[in-house]
């Protein structure tokens, strides 16, 4: 129970930290993003550059069953956030990976999320253009 409470607080902390990162000046945003990766999901260069399949393997090896889906959702949020301020073709690649991860989380998470559904629909529309 204590471990579950700790992880729920960690998720809340992540959401606040992500919102703050998006308000940081653009020239410092990449450093702030790398720090969020390091704190919550792992090394930026490793996790961000994994293919979707490799990310699932990484998640299985690195995170326990209770945390895995929530940590994957953190990765999706980080990819989505980074894509929002990058230029193409990197933006489309990051949005595409975020879409895959959000979709996976949506089908495997026990909690329904309207925000997740909105992002999946938005990403689907963006990627069809």
């Amino acid at each position: 129970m204590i471990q579950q409470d700790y992880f729920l607080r960690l998720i809340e902390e992540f959401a606040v930290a992500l919102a703050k990162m998006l308000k940081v000046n653009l020239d410092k945003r990449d450093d702030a993003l790398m720090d969020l990766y390091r704190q919550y999901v792992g090394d930026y260069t490793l996790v961000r550059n994994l293919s979707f399949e490799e990310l699932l393997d990484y998640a299985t090896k690195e995170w326990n069953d209770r945390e895995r889906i929530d940590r994957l959702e953190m990765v999706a949020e980080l990819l989505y956030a980074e894509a929002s301020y990058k230029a193409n073709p990197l933006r489309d690649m990051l949005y595409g990976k975020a879409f895959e991860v959000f979709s996976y989380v949506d089908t495997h998470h026990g909690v329904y999320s309207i925000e997740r559904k909105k992002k999946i629909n938005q990403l689907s529309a963006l990627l069809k253009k």
Side-chain angles (χ1 to χ4, degrees):
M1 184 65 140
I2 293 173
Q3 186 177 12
Q4 186 177 6
D5 289 343
Y6 166 76
F7 193 68
L8 289 174
R9 281 194 308 274
L10 188 70
I11 292 170
E12 292 170 358
E13 178 186 293
F14 170 77
V16 170
L18 183 61
K20 284 182 183 178
M21 184 276 300
L22 289 171
K23 293 179 182 176
V24 169
N25 288 337
L26 196 55
D27 59 329
K28 295 181 182 180
R29 202 171 286 174
D30 283 337
D31 290 336
L33 181 77
M34 287 181 203
D35 193 42
L36 288 177
Y37 267 91
R38 183 188 50 75
Q39 288 178 32
Y40 296 100
V41 296
D43 181 64
Y44 169 78
T45 31
L46 173 66
V47 176
R48 178 190 177 253
N49 294 318
L50 293 172
S51 70
F52 175 68
E53 293 77 18
E54 291 168 335
L55 180 59
L56 294 181
D57 288 341
Y58 174 86
T60 301
K61 292 174 188 168
E62 295 294 320
W63 304 317
N64 68 46
D65 293 342
R66 287 189 214 150
E67 296 180 7
R68 187 173 304 122
I69 296 299
D70 290 317
R71 295 240 188 223
L72 283 168
E73 190 161 23
M74 289 178 186
V75 172
E77 291 288 354
L78 290 166
L79 292 165
Y80 182 82
E82 183 177 9
S84 72
Y85 68 90
K86 294 292 184 178
N88 274 329
L90 180 57
R91 176 183 7 202
D92 286 344
M93 186 273 300
L94 293 169
Y95 275 149
K97 195 183 304 184
F99 174 79
E100 285 184 295
V101 179
F102 274 129
S103 297
Y104 179 86
V105 167
D106 196 52
T107 59
H108 291 83
H109 205 296
V111 177
Y112 181 85
S113 169
I114 292 173
E115 281 302 311
R116 187 184 322 119
K117 293 283 189 190
K118 284 181 185 177
K119 286 180 181 169
I120 289 169
N121 289 333
Q122 180 187 23
L123 289 168
S124 178
L126 281 170
L127 295 168
K128 286 181 183 176
K129 290 182 181 180

